[in-house]
Amino acid sequence: MPCNVVVLISGSGSNLQALIDSLGYDGNPARIAAVISNRADAYGLQRAQRAGIATELLDHKQFDGREAFDAALILAIDAHQPDLVVLAGFMRILTPGFVQHYAGRLLNIHPSLLPRHKGLHTHQRALEAGDSEHGCSVHFVTEELDGGPLVVQAVLPVTADDTVESLASRVHQQEHQIYPLAVRWFAEGRLRLGAQGAMLDGQPLPASGHLIRT
């Protein structure tokens, strides 16, 4: 049985493209049922349409508050009977009710080695902090912002001549590797959220998740 995935975006959709490109290989059971954006100008909508994937626009500015938007978003997502909801550059703070509704089937990717540098401007903050390593993290979403159990992290060295732009570019490349990997694990039934945190093949993952060093 395919694993129905709904992807939420707000922007260019480069991680969405990486997910689209990973489908249909080696029996990958993940299937993107729909892509939903809160912004009409999100280029990711065009990426989805080119791939023949259903798209939907739900403009948050048309709703009276976060709860009303999230309630409508739940209805839009659930119409596609998702097994998994994937946040791919979805620039909205989600309400606790939304997060609870999709508990254990909601993934996000963040451009830092969580728990370091939650929030925005992660590459600049990593450089300013003098970090020797930087990277990106896939995690299950909980009510704590960028705080859910870690699934997989790609770790890369920070070089002396790195800039915000060069670091962002290298981290992006790793995002496009680890997000499809985590989604495939989930689709294959290998990845689950248990009482103790993220589980892979029935075993608890370490607090840092599965580490991939580049």
Side-chain angles (χ1 to χ4, degrees), residues 7-83:
V7 183
L8 306 185
I9 63 168
S10 296
S12 71
S14 66
N15 271 307
L16 166 65
Q17 188 66 56
L19 291 170
I20 291 170
D21 293 344
S22 74
L23 302 179
Y25 290 100
D26 303 325
N28 187 347
R31 169 187 174 272
I32 299 178
V35 172
I36 301 174
S37 175
N38 66 312
R39 294 178 59 98
D41 60 352
Y43 181 64
L45 290 171
Q46 296 182 44
R47 295 180 188 269
Q49 288 160 4
R50 280 203 301 269
I53 298 168
T55 60
E56 196 164 338
L57 172 65
L58 205 64
D59 186 347
H60 60 275
K61 296 190 290 293
Q62 304 298 317
F63 292 86
D64 185 19
R66 195 173 287 166
E67 282 78 11
F69 173 75
D70 278 11
L73 185 57
I74 285 173
L75 289 175
I77 294 169
D78 285 354
H80 299 282
Q81 300 180 302
D83 300 295

Side-chain angles (χ1 to χ4, degrees), residues 107-174:
L107 289 177
N108 183 47
I109 193 160
H110 184 74
S112 80
L113 295 176
L114 292 172
R116 289 183 68 79
H117 309 310
K118 298 180 180 183
L120 302 174
H121 311 300
T122 58
H123 312 306
Q124 180 178 336
R125 288 159 60 199
L127 289 174
E128 288 173 351
D131 291 353
S132 61
E133 294 182 324
H134 189 44
C136 47
S137 311
V138 177
H139 65 96
F140 281 104
V141 177
T142 62
E143 292 174 45
E144 181 189 352
L145 179 66
D146 298 329
L150 289 162
V151 173
V152 55
Q153 295 194 109
V155 184
L156 50 86
V158 178
T159 63
D161 58 351
D162 260 323
T163 63
V164 170
E165 291 74 22
S166 68
L167 206 50
S169 175
R170 288 164 57 216
V171 169
H172 256 129
Q173 291 173 5
Q174 294 307 310

